[in-house]
Amino acid sequence: MPSSAKTKKKAPAKKSPERRGASASARAPKSAPTKAAAKKSRPQPRSSKKATSKKSSTSKPASLAAAKKAAAATKAREIAAARAQRERDARARAAAKKAQLRQRAIVAARAKREREARARALAKERAAAKKARAIAAAKAKKERDARAKAAAKEREILRKAREKAAIEAKKQREIEAKRKAIEAEKLRRLREIERREAEERKRQERREAEELKRQEALERKMHSKPYAEDHEFLEELRDLLLTTRDATNAQIAVSELEANEMLVDRERLEYDDEDGSSVASDIQRDQLKEFTAALRLKVDEIDVALARIDDGSYGRCDECFEPISQPRLRAQLPVFTCVSCRASV
């Protein structure tokens, strides 16, 4: 390669150990490396470098990238210094060239690793942000779902409350309507009762008035004197009654005499009880006594009729208080009921 030829032609003279130490110290960072860094700066086989590079290329946290970068730089410098020290012989220029190329490769690899680390960190950050956004979105969705469920539950509760209130209001209206209907029915019945009572009072008043009129009419009839003005007719009835009483008294006397004679004859004569003649005599005498009692009752009735003729009330029916017809008063002595009342007795 031309670059290698140029480097071979311009190979500097060998430096003394003091100058090499000075140049190494000049190339080293200002901060003195620790013993651990010095140990790490020792040359290692390429397989171990690849393993470390692979290991370092694996997932590392973003926070250790700077420390790794510094450690890798220090390690590269130490490796270069160690190689320079081992190859300070005739291959100094070649070693320096190789060290330079190796340094460039290390820097490129380190830059690549850093880029990869940054990419991984950025991807991780993006994944974390995406995951966080997804978590936030899921949380927001859960919250929205929870709020929607809560709102739906509240709406359902409000709907049920409204339905319950509507049912209660409907029941209350029905109860109120029933109560009003019952009160209206009670009021109607009360008015009907009052109307009926008023009608009954009116009927009772009419009945009382009619009864009073009837009683007054009856009282007038009871004290009426149908033939009081007809003195001739009353005198005629008086004569007939007196004649009938005399005839009745005569019949009473005759009947009593016959009954006494039958009693004397029964005591004087001896009757044969076997043929029943004594029993027949007793029956005839009892009949005469009953006939005599009826005649005496007729005499008492004639006396009552004569008394009524005196006060003018004779000729009035004792049942209906209506006037008895004159033919009946003349035909039957005495008489106190009209034909219709006599027939209904």
PDB file of all heavy atoms in Angstrom, residues 295-332:
ATOM      1  N   LEU A 295    -182.613 -12.519  76.114  1.00  0.00           N
ATOM      2  CA  LEU A 295    -183.637 -11.486  76.172  1.00  0.00           C
ATOM      3  C   LEU A 295    -183.225 -10.357  77.107  1.00  0.00           C
ATOM      4  O   LEU A 295    -183.474  -9.173  76.815  1.00  0.00           O
ATOM      5  CB  LEU A 295    -184.965 -12.105  76.624  1.00  0.00           C
ATOM      6  CG  LEU A 295    -185.647 -13.078  75.633  1.00  0.00           C
ATOM      7  CD1 LEU A 295    -186.885 -13.708  76.251  1.00  0.00           C
ATOM      8  CD2 LEU A 295    -186.021 -12.340  74.340  1.00  0.00           C
ATOM      9  N   ARG A 296    -182.625 -10.710  78.256  1.00  0.00           N
ATOM     10  CA  ARG A 296    -182.142  -9.659  79.165  1.00  0.00           C
ATOM     11  C   ARG A 296    -181.072  -8.795  78.489  1.00  0.00           C
ATOM     12  O   ARG A 296    -181.049  -7.567  78.671  1.00  0.00           O
ATOM     13  CB  ARG A 296    -181.568 -10.300  80.435  1.00  0.00           C
ATOM     14  CG  ARG A 296    -182.629 -10.846  81.368  1.00  0.00           C
ATOM     15  CD  ARG A 296    -182.043 -11.063  82.766  1.00  0.00           C
ATOM     16  NE  ARG A 296    -183.043 -11.563  83.670  1.00  0.00           N
ATOM     17  CZ  ARG A 296    -183.272 -12.842  83.946  1.00  0.00           C
ATOM     18  NH1 ARG A 296    -182.547 -13.780  83.316  1.00  0.00           N
ATOM     19  NH2 ARG A 296    -184.217 -13.203  84.795  1.00  0.00           N
ATOM     20  N   LEU A 297    -180.131  -9.446  77.714  1.00  0.00           N
ATOM     21  CA  LEU A 297    -179.133  -8.690  76.978  1.00  0.00           C
ATOM     22  C   LEU A 297    -179.772  -7.742  75.963  1.00  0.00           C
ATOM     23  O   LEU A 297    -179.352  -6.599  75.797  1.00  0.00           O
ATOM     24  CB  LEU A 297    -178.174  -9.657  76.256  1.00  0.00           C
ATOM     25  CG  LEU A 297    -177.035  -9.037  75.461  1.00  0.00           C
ATOM     26  CD1 LEU A 297    -176.133  -8.194  76.368  1.00  0.00           C
ATOM     27  CD2 LEU A 297    -176.221 -10.125  74.776  1.00  0.00           C
ATOM     28  N   LYS A 298    -180.856  -8.231  75.328  1.00  0.00           N
ATOM     29  CA  LYS A 298    -181.568  -7.382  74.382  1.00  0.00           C
ATOM     30  C   LYS A 298    -182.203  -6.204  75.103  1.00  0.00           C
ATOM     31  O   LYS A 298    -182.191  -5.066  74.596  1.00  0.00           O
ATOM     32  CB  LYS A 298    -182.623  -8.207  73.671  1.00  0.00           C
ATOM     33  CG  LYS A 298    -183.340  -7.442  72.562  1.00  0.00           C
ATOM     34  CD  LYS A 298    -184.330  -8.347  71.836  1.00  0.00           C
ATOM     35  CE  LYS A 298    -185.025  -7.566  70.719  1.00  0.00           C
ATOM     36  NZ  LYS A 298    -185.985  -8.433  69.973  1.00  0.00           N
ATOM     37  N   VAL A 299    -182.707  -6.449  76.305  1.00  0.00           N
ATOM     38  CA  VAL A 299    -183.290  -5.352  77.078  1.00  0.00           C
ATOM     39  C   VAL A 299    -182.222  -4.316  77.415  1.00  0.00           C
ATOM     40  O   VAL A 299    -182.448  -3.094  77.336  1.00  0.00           O
ATOM     41  CB  VAL A 299    -183.969  -5.905  78.355  1.00  0.00           C
ATOM     42  CG1 VAL A 299    -184.376  -4.759  79.291  1.00  0.00           C
ATOM     43  CG2 VAL A 299    -185.184  -6.739  78.004  1.00  0.00           C
ATOM     44  N   ASP A 300    -181.001  -4.815  77.786  1.00  0.00           N
ATOM     45  CA  ASP A 300    -179.901  -3.880  78.081  1.00  0.00           C
ATOM     46  C   ASP A 300    -179.534  -3.063  76.844  1.00  0.00           C
ATOM     47  O   ASP A 300    -179.287  -1.842  76.942  1.00  0.00           O
ATOM     48  CB  ASP A 300    -178.683  -4.655  78.578  1.00  0.00           C
ATOM     49  CG  ASP A 300    -178.944  -5.322  79.935  1.00  0.00           C
ATOM     50  OD1 ASP A 300    -179.834  -4.836  80.654  1.00  0.00           O
ATOM     51  OD2 ASP A 300    -178.234  -6.312  80.250  1.00  0.00           O
ATOM     52  N   GLU A 301    -179.523  -3.728  75.693  1.00  0.00           N
ATOM     53  CA  GLU A 301    -179.209  -3.004  74.452  1.00  0.00           C
ATOM     54  C   GLU A 301    -180.289  -1.975  74.133  1.00  0.00           C
ATOM     55  O   GLU A 301    -179.981  -0.868  73.657  1.00  0.00           O
ATOM     56  CB  GLU A 301    -179.072  -3.996  73.298  1.00  0.00           C
ATOM     57  CG  GLU A 301    -177.812  -4.868  73.402  1.00  0.00           C
ATOM     58  CD  GLU A 301    -177.748  -5.884  72.267  1.00  0.00           C
ATOM     59  OE1 GLU A 301    -178.733  -6.008  71.512  1.00  0.00           O
ATOM     60  OE2 GLU A 301    -176.692  -6.558  72.124  1.00  0.00           O
ATOM     61  N   ILE A 302    -181.567  -2.345  74.407  1.00  0.00           N
ATOM     62  CA  ILE A 302    -182.645  -1.378  74.180  1.00  0.00           C
ATOM     63  C   ILE A 302    -182.481  -0.177  75.091  1.00  0.00           C
ATOM     64  O   ILE A 302    -182.697   0.981  74.677  1.00  0.00           O
ATOM     65  CB  ILE A 302    -184.008  -2.059  74.381  1.00  0.00           C
ATOM     66  CG1 ILE A 302    -184.266  -3.051  73.233  1.00  0.00           C
ATOM     67  CG2 ILE A 302    -185.132  -1.040  74.429  1.00  0.00           C
ATOM     68  CD1 ILE A 302    -185.468  -3.968  73.465  1.00  0.00           C
ATOM     69  N   ASP A 303    -182.043  -0.420  76.328  1.00  0.00           N
ATOM     70  CA  ASP A 303    -181.806   0.694  77.245  1.00  0.00           C
ATOM     71  C   ASP A 303    -180.695   1.606  76.728  1.00  0.00           C
ATOM     72  O   ASP A 303    -180.787   2.841  76.817  1.00  0.00           O
ATOM     73  CB  ASP A 303    -181.457   0.162  78.633  1.00  0.00           C
ATOM     74  CG  ASP A 303    -182.643  -0.540  79.296  1.00  0.00           C
ATOM     75  OD1 ASP A 303    -183.783  -0.221  78.904  1.00  0.00           O
ATOM     76  OD2 ASP A 303    -182.399  -1.392  80.185  1.00  0.00           O
ATOM     77  N   VAL A 304    -179.615   0.984  76.194  1.00  0.00           N
ATOM     78  CA  VAL A 304    -178.509   1.779  75.626  1.00  0.00           C
ATOM     79  C   VAL A 304    -179.007   2.584  74.434  1.00  0.00           C
ATOM     80  O   VAL A 304    -178.687   3.768  74.272  1.00  0.00           O
ATOM     81  CB  VAL A 304    -177.346   0.860  75.213  1.00  0.00           C
ATOM     82  CG1 VAL A 304    -176.296   1.637  74.423  1.00  0.00           C
ATOM     83  CG2 VAL A 304    -176.722   0.230  76.436  1.00  0.00           C
ATOM     84  N   ALA A 305    -179.841   1.950  73.594  1.00  0.00           N
ATOM     85  CA  ALA A 305    -180.378   2.642  72.423  1.00  0.00           C
ATOM     86  C   ALA A 305    -181.267   3.810  72.858  1.00  0.00           C
ATOM     87  O   ALA A 305    -181.210   4.901  72.259  1.00  0.00           O
ATOM     88  CB  ALA A 305    -181.156   1.664  71.558  1.00  0.00           C
ATOM     89  N   LEU A 306    -182.085   3.608  73.912  1.00  0.00           N
ATOM     90  CA  LEU A 306    -182.925   4.692  74.404  1.00  0.00           C
ATOM     91  C   LEU A 306    -182.075   5.848  74.932  1.00  0.00           C
ATOM     92  O   LEU A 306    -182.393   7.025  74.733  1.00  0.00           O
ATOM     93  CB  LEU A 306    -183.862   4.168  75.486  1.00  0.00           C
ATOM     94  CG  LEU A 306    -184.977   3.217  74.996  1.00  0.00           C
ATOM     95  CD1 LEU A 306    -185.716   2.600  76.173  1.00  0.00           C
ATOM     96  CD2 LEU A 306    -185.959   3.965  74.093  1.00  0.00           C
ATOM     97  N   ALA A 307    -180.939   5.491  75.591  1.00  0.00           N
ATOM     98  CA  ALA A 307    -180.048   6.547  76.086  1.00  0.00           C
ATOM     99  C   ALA A 307    -179.434   7.333  74.928  1.00  0.00           C
ATOM    100  O   ALA A 307    -179.292   8.556  74.987  1.00  0.00           O
ATOM    101  CB  ALA A 307    -178.950   5.934  76.950  1.00  0.00           C
ATOM    102  N   ARG A 308    -179.102   6.633  73.877  1.00  0.00           N
ATOM    103  CA  ARG A 308    -178.522   7.314  72.712  1.00  0.00           C
ATOM    104  C   ARG A 308    -179.583   8.164  71.999  1.00  0.00           C
ATOM    105  O   ARG A 308    -179.251   9.216  71.434  1.00  0.00           O
ATOM    106  CB  ARG A 308    -177.938   6.286  71.745  1.00  0.00           C
ATOM    107  CG  ARG A 308    -176.655   5.639  72.261  1.00  0.00           C
ATOM    108  CD  ARG A 308    -176.028   4.753  71.204  1.00  0.00           C
ATOM    109  NE  ARG A 308    -174.782   4.158  71.676  1.00  0.00           N
ATOM    110  CZ  ARG A 308    -174.012   3.381  70.933  1.00  0.00           C
ATOM    111  NH1 ARG A 308    -174.372   3.097  69.670  1.00  0.00           N
ATOM    112  NH2 ARG A 308    -172.918   2.867  71.443  1.00  0.00           N
ATOM    113  N   ILE A 309    -180.803   7.672  72.019  1.00  0.00           N
ATOM    114  CA  ILE A 309    -181.862   8.505  71.429  1.00  0.00           C
ATOM    115  C   ILE A 309    -182.005   9.800  72.213  1.00  0.00           C
ATOM    116  O   ILE A 309    -182.233  10.879  71.642  1.00  0.00           O
ATOM    117  CB  ILE A 309    -183.185   7.729  71.390  1.00  0.00           C
ATOM    118  CG1 ILE A 309    -183.117   6.650  70.295  1.00  0.00           C
ATOM    119  CG2 ILE A 309    -184.360   8.655  71.109  1.00  0.00           C
ATOM    120  CD1 ILE A 309    -184.321   5.703  70.311  1.00  0.00           C
ATOM    121  N   ASP A 310    -181.818   9.706  73.523  1.00  0.00           N
ATOM    122  CA  ASP A 310    -181.927  10.904  74.341  1.00  0.00           C
ATOM    123  C   ASP A 310    -180.845  11.930  73.991  1.00  0.00           C
ATOM    124  O   ASP A 310    -181.123  13.140  73.962  1.00  0.00           O
ATOM    125  CB  ASP A 310    -181.835  10.535  75.831  1.00  0.00           C
ATOM    126  CG  ASP A 310    -183.066   9.738  76.284  1.00  0.00           C
ATOM    127  OD1 ASP A 310    -184.121   9.860  75.622  1.00  0.00           O
ATOM    128  OD2 ASP A 310    -182.940   8.960  77.265  1.00  0.00           O
ATOM    129  N   ASP A 311    -179.561  11.447  73.730  1.00  0.00           N
ATOM    130  CA  ASP A 311    -178.505  12.423  73.377  1.00  0.00           C
ATOM    131  C   ASP A 311    -178.378  12.620  71.870  1.00  0.00           C
ATOM    132  O   ASP A 311    -177.527  13.361  71.411  1.00  0.00           O
ATOM    133  CB  ASP A 311    -177.148  11.987  73.951  1.00  0.00           C
ATOM    134  CG  ASP A 311    -176.696  10.639  73.415  1.00  0.00           C
ATOM    135  OD1 ASP A 311    -177.276  10.115  72.427  1.00  0.00           O
ATOM    136  OD2 ASP A 311    -175.721  10.090  73.973  1.00  0.00           O
ATOM    137  N   GLY A 312    -179.227  11.918  71.089  1.00  0.00           N
ATOM    138  CA  GLY A 312    -179.276  12.128  69.639  1.00  0.00           C
ATOM    139  C   GLY A 312    -178.246  11.371  68.840  1.00  0.00           C
ATOM    140  O   GLY A 312    -178.099  11.610  67.625  1.00  0.00           O
ATOM    141  N   SER A 313    -177.435  10.433  69.468  1.00  0.00           N
ATOM    142  CA  SER A 313    -176.388   9.714  68.746  1.00  0.00           C
ATOM    143  C   SER A 313    -176.844   8.360  68.228  1.00  0.00           C
ATOM    144  O   SER A 313    -176.047   7.644  67.599  1.00  0.00           O
ATOM    145  CB  SER A 313    -175.174   9.515  69.660  1.00  0.00           C
ATOM    146  OG  SER A 313    -175.519   8.721  70.787  1.00  0.00           O
ATOM    147  N   TYR A 314    -178.101   7.983  68.490  1.00  0.00           N
ATOM    148  CA  TYR A 314    -178.565   6.683  67.998  1.00  0.00           C
ATOM    149  C   TYR A 314    -178.728   6.759  66.480  1.00  0.00           C
ATOM    150  O   TYR A 314    -179.184   7.772  65.958  1.00  0.00           O
ATOM    151  CB  TYR A 314    -179.883   6.292  68.659  1.00  0.00           C
ATOM    152  CG  TYR A 314    -180.351   4.902  68.291  1.00  0.00           C
ATOM    153  CD1 TYR A 314    -179.665   3.786  68.741  1.00  0.00           C
ATOM    154  CD2 TYR A 314    -181.471   4.731  67.485  1.00  0.00           C
ATOM    155  CE1 TYR A 314    -180.098   2.521  68.397  1.00  0.00           C
ATOM    156  CE2 TYR A 314    -181.898   3.456  67.139  1.00  0.00           C
ATOM    157  CZ  TYR A 314    -181.211   2.347  67.585  1.00  0.00           C
ATOM    158  OH  TYR A 314    -181.615   1.074  67.229  1.00  0.00           O
ATOM    159  N   GLY A 315    -178.380   5.637  65.829  1.00  0.00           N
ATOM    160  CA  GLY A 315    -178.408   5.577  64.375  1.00  0.00           C
ATOM    161  C   GLY A 315    -177.014   5.688  63.751  1.00  0.00           C
ATOM    162  O   GLY A 315    -176.868   5.661  62.529  1.00  0.00           O
ATOM    163  N   ARG A 316    -175.940   5.776  64.621  1.00  0.00           N
ATOM    164  CA  ARG A 316    -174.554   5.839  64.158  1.00  0.00           C
ATOM    165  C   ARG A 316    -173.913   4.467  64.357  1.00  0.00           C
ATOM    166  O   ARG A 316    -174.025   3.855  65.419  1.00  0.00           O
ATOM    167  CB  ARG A 316    -173.782   6.884  64.952  1.00  0.00           C
ATOM    168  CG  ARG A 316    -172.334   7.066  64.507  1.00  0.00           C
ATOM    169  CD  ARG A 316    -171.639   8.060  65.396  1.00  0.00           C
ATOM    170  NE  ARG A 316    -171.559   7.551  66.766  1.00  0.00           N
ATOM    171  CZ  ARG A 316    -171.669   8.312  67.850  1.00  0.00           C
ATOM    172  NH1 ARG A 316    -171.904   9.606  67.735  1.00  0.00           N
ATOM    173  NH2 ARG A 316    -171.565   7.785  69.057  1.00  0.00           N
ATOM    174  N   CYS A 317    -173.187   3.967  63.298  1.00  0.00           N
ATOM    175  CA  CYS A 317    -172.554   2.648  63.355  1.00  0.00           C
ATOM    176  C   CYS A 317    -171.395   2.694  64.336  1.00  0.00           C
ATOM    177  O   CYS A 317    -170.571   3.635  64.320  1.00  0.00           O
ATOM    178  CB  CYS A 317    -172.074   2.228  61.973  1.00  0.00           C
ATOM    179  SG  CYS A 317    -171.243   0.618  61.950  1.00  0.00           S
ATOM    180  N   ASP A 318    -171.291   1.668  65.188  1.00  0.00           N
ATOM    181  CA  ASP A 318    -170.214   1.617  66.168  1.00  0.00           C
ATOM    182  C   ASP A 318    -168.864   1.247  65.552  1.00  0.00           C
ATOM    183  O   ASP A 318    -167.825   1.467  66.191  1.00  0.00           O
ATOM    184  CB  ASP A 318    -170.544   0.608  67.276  1.00  0.00           C
ATOM    185  CG  ASP A 318    -171.675   1.102  68.164  1.00  0.00           C
ATOM    186  OD1 ASP A 318    -171.955   2.315  68.119  1.00  0.00           O
ATOM    187  OD2 ASP A 318    -172.244   0.268  68.897  1.00  0.00           O
ATOM    188  N   GLU A 319    -168.851   0.740  64.319  1.00  0.00           N
ATOM    189  CA  GLU A 319    -167.613   0.332  63.664  1.00  0.00           C
ATOM    190  C   GLU A 319    -167.070   1.414  62.756  1.00  0.00           C
ATOM    191  O   GLU A 319    -165.928   1.844  62.896  1.00  0.00           O
ATOM    192  CB  GLU A 319    -167.833  -0.965  62.859  1.00  0.00           C
ATOM    193  CG  GLU A 319    -168.214  -2.162  63.716  1.00  0.00           C
ATOM    194  CD  GLU A 319    -167.104  -2.594  64.660  1.00  0.00           C
ATOM    195  OE1 GLU A 319    -165.918  -2.386  64.303  1.00  0.00           O
ATOM    196  OE2 GLU A 319    -167.392  -3.117  65.750  1.00  0.00           O
ATOM    197  N   CYS A 320    -167.887   1.850  61.799  1.00  0.00           N
ATOM    198  CA  CYS A 320    -167.425   2.863  60.840  1.00  0.00           C
ATOM    199  C   CYS A 320    -167.951   4.252  61.148  1.00  0.00           C
ATOM    200  O   CYS A 320    -167.592   5.218  60.470  1.00  0.00           O
ATOM    201  CB  CYS A 320    -167.820   2.465  59.424  1.00  0.00           C
ATOM    202  SG  CYS A 320    -169.603   2.400  59.155  1.00  0.00           S
ATOM    203  N   PHE A 321    -168.814   4.342  62.150  1.00  0.00           N
ATOM    204  CA  PHE A 321    -169.392   5.619  62.582  1.00  0.00           C
ATOM    205  C   PHE A 321    -170.179   6.319  61.479  1.00  0.00           C
ATOM    206  O   PHE A 321    -170.339   7.535  61.511  1.00  0.00           O
ATOM    207  CB  PHE A 321    -168.296   6.547  63.134  1.00  0.00           C
ATOM    208  CG  PHE A 321    -167.470   5.936  64.220  1.00  0.00           C
ATOM    209  CD1 PHE A 321    -166.180   5.494  63.962  1.00  0.00           C
ATOM    210  CD2 PHE A 321    -168.002   5.766  65.490  1.00  0.00           C
ATOM    211  CE1 PHE A 321    -165.427   4.924  64.966  1.00  0.00           C
ATOM    212  CE2 PHE A 321    -167.244   5.204  66.496  1.00  0.00           C
ATOM    213  CZ  PHE A 321    -165.942   4.769  66.242  1.00  0.00           C
ATOM    214  N   GLU A 322    -170.587   5.557  60.502  1.00  0.00           N
ATOM    215  CA  GLU A 322    -171.434   6.094  59.449  1.00  0.00           C
ATOM    216  C   GLU A 322    -172.899   5.953  59.859  1.00  0.00           C
ATOM    217  O   GLU A 322    -173.251   5.072  60.673  1.00  0.00           O
ATOM    218  CB  GLU A 322    -171.170   5.355  58.136  1.00  0.00           C
ATOM    219  CG  GLU A 322    -169.780   5.579  57.532  1.00  0.00           C
ATOM    220  CD  GLU A 322    -169.596   6.991  57.053  1.00  0.00           C
ATOM    221  OE1 GLU A 322    -170.608   7.666  56.742  1.00  0.00           O
ATOM    222  OE2 GLU A 322    -168.425   7.455  57.006  1.00  0.00           O
ATOM    223  N   PRO A 323    -173.779   6.750  59.303  1.00  0.00           N
ATOM    224  CA  PRO A 323    -175.214   6.626  59.650  1.00  0.00           C
ATOM    225  C   PRO A 323    -175.805   5.298  59.180  1.00  0.00           C
ATOM    226  O   PRO A 323    -175.484   4.815  58.080  1.00  0.00           O
ATOM    227  CB  PRO A 323    -175.857   7.803  58.925  1.00  0.00           C
ATOM    228  CG  PRO A 323    -174.738   8.766  58.671  1.00  0.00           C
ATOM    229  CD  PRO A 323    -173.527   7.941  58.485  1.00  0.00           C
ATOM    230  N   ILE A 324    -176.606   4.686  60.034  1.00  0.00           N
ATOM    231  CA  ILE A 324    -177.308   3.448  59.678  1.00  0.00           C
ATOM    232  C   ILE A 324    -178.622   3.848  58.998  1.00  0.00           C
ATOM    233  O   ILE A 324    -179.286   4.814  59.388  1.00  0.00           O
ATOM    234  CB  ILE A 324    -177.565   2.590  60.929  1.00  0.00           C
ATOM    235  CG1 ILE A 324    -176.231   2.295  61.645  1.00  0.00           C
ATOM    236  CG2 ILE A 324    -178.283   1.309  60.572  1.00  0.00           C
ATOM    237  CD1 ILE A 324    -176.410   1.646  63.012  1.00  0.00           C
ATOM    238  N   SER A 325    -178.927   3.106  57.988  1.00  0.00           N
ATOM    239  CA  SER A 325    -180.141   3.463  57.220  1.00  0.00           C
ATOM    240  C   SER A 325    -181.405   3.353  58.100  1.00  0.00           C
ATOM    241  O   SER A 325    -181.468   2.535  59.027  1.00  0.00           O
ATOM    242  CB  SER A 325    -180.273   2.546  56.008  1.00  0.00           C
ATOM    243  OG  SER A 325    -180.439   1.209  56.417  1.00  0.00           O
ATOM    244  N   GLN A 326    -182.342   4.159  57.800  1.00  0.00           N
ATOM    245  CA  GLN A 326    -183.585   4.163  58.584  1.00  0.00           C
ATOM    246  C   GLN A 326    -184.357   2.852  58.472  1.00  0.00           C
ATOM    247  O   GLN A 326    -184.910   2.376  59.489  1.00  0.00           O
ATOM    248  CB  GLN A 326    -184.454   5.335  58.141  1.00  0.00           C
ATOM    249  CG  GLN A 326    -183.857   6.700  58.495  1.00  0.00           C
ATOM    250  CD  GLN A 326    -184.772   7.857  58.129  1.00  0.00           C
ATOM    251  OE1 GLN A 326    -185.917   7.647  57.652  1.00  0.00           O
ATOM    252  NE2 GLN A 326    -184.305   9.092  58.361  1.00  0.00           N
ATOM    253  N   PRO A 327    -184.460   2.217  57.287  1.00  0.00           N
ATOM    254  CA  PRO A 327    -185.173   0.933  57.236  1.00  0.00           C
ATOM    255  C   PRO A 327    -184.570  -0.110  58.160  1.00  0.00           C
ATOM    256  O   PRO A 327    -185.290  -0.881  58.781  1.00  0.00           O
ATOM    257  CB  PRO A 327    -185.058   0.521  55.771  1.00  0.00           C
ATOM    258  CG  PRO A 327    -184.915   1.807  55.029  1.00  0.00           C
ATOM    259  CD  PRO A 327    -184.129   2.685  55.938  1.00  0.00           C
ATOM    260  N   ARG A 328    -183.209  -0.119  58.257  1.00  0.00           N
ATOM    261  CA  ARG A 328    -182.569  -1.093  59.149  1.00  0.00           C
ATOM    262  C   ARG A 328    -182.852  -0.747  60.600  1.00  0.00           C
ATOM    263  O   ARG A 328    -183.093  -1.654  61.422  1.00  0.00           O
ATOM    264  CB  ARG A 328    -181.052  -1.100  58.889  1.00  0.00           C
ATOM    265  CG  ARG A 328    -180.269  -2.054  59.781  1.00  0.00           C
ATOM    266  CD  ARG A 328    -178.826  -2.158  59.344  1.00  0.00           C
ATOM    267  NE  ARG A 328    -178.030  -2.926  60.286  1.00  0.00           N
ATOM    268  CZ  ARG A 328    -178.023  -4.249  60.386  1.00  0.00           C
ATOM    269  NH1 ARG A 328    -178.798  -4.986  59.573  1.00  0.00           N
ATOM    270  NH2 ARG A 328    -177.254  -4.868  61.260  1.00  0.00           N
ATOM    271  N   LEU A 329    -182.857   0.541  60.911  1.00  0.00           N
ATOM    272  CA  LEU A 329    -183.162   0.927  62.288  1.00  0.00           C
ATOM    273  C   LEU A 329    -184.602   0.551  62.664  1.00  0.00           C
ATOM    274  O   LEU A 329    -184.878   0.188  63.827  1.00  0.00           O
ATOM    275  CB  LEU A 329    -182.957   2.438  62.457  1.00  0.00           C
ATOM    276  CG  LEU A 329    -181.492   2.938  62.396  1.00  0.00           C
ATOM    277  CD1 LEU A 329    -181.444   4.448  62.377  1.00  0.00           C
ATOM    278  CD2 LEU A 329    -180.711   2.390  63.590  1.00  0.00           C
ATOM    279  N   ARG A 330    -185.499   0.626  61.700  1.00  0.00           N
ATOM    280  CA  ARG A 330    -186.880   0.251  61.996  1.00  0.00           C
ATOM    281  C   ARG A 330    -187.064  -1.260  62.052  1.00  0.00           C
ATOM    282  O   ARG A 330    -187.852  -1.768  62.853  1.00  0.00           O
ATOM    283  CB  ARG A 330    -187.826   0.812  60.920  1.00  0.00           C
ATOM    284  CG  ARG A 330    -187.985   2.336  60.941  1.00  0.00           C
ATOM    285  CD  ARG A 330    -189.105   2.751  60.000  1.00  0.00           C
ATOM    286  NE  ARG A 330    -189.272   4.202  59.957  1.00  0.00           N
ATOM    287  CZ  ARG A 330    -188.751   5.006  59.070  1.00  0.00           C
ATOM    288  NH1 ARG A 330    -188.004   4.490  58.080  1.00  0.00           N
ATOM    289  NH2 ARG A 330    -188.963   6.319  59.129  1.00  0.00           N
ATOM    290  N   ALA A 331    -186.321  -2.008  61.200  1.00  0.00           N
ATOM    291  CA  ALA A 331    -186.543  -3.450  61.091  1.00  0.00           C
ATOM    292  C   ALA A 331    -185.926  -4.194  62.260  1.00  0.00           C
ATOM    293  O   ALA A 331    -186.507  -5.177  62.746  1.00  0.00           O
ATOM    294  CB  ALA A 331    -185.965  -3.957  59.777  1.00  0.00           C
ATOM    295  N   GLN A 332    -184.767  -3.780  62.697  1.00  0.00           N
ATOM    296  CA  GLN A 332    -184.043  -4.500  63.750  1.00  0.00           C
ATOM    297  C   GLN A 332    -183.881  -3.580  64.942  1.00  0.00           C
ATOM    298  O   GLN A 332    -183.295  -2.517  64.844  1.00  0.00           O
ATOM    299  CB  GLN A 332    -182.672  -4.971  63.235  1.00  0.00           C
ATOM    300  CG  GLN A 332    -181.961  -5.893  64.221  1.00  0.00           C
ATOM    301  CD  GLN A 332    -180.647  -6.406  63.640  1.00  0.00           C
ATOM    302  OE1 GLN A 332    -180.369  -6.125  62.479  1.00  0.00           O
ATOM    303  NE2 GLN A 332    -179.913  -7.140  64.426  1.00  0.00           N
TER     304      GLN A 332
END
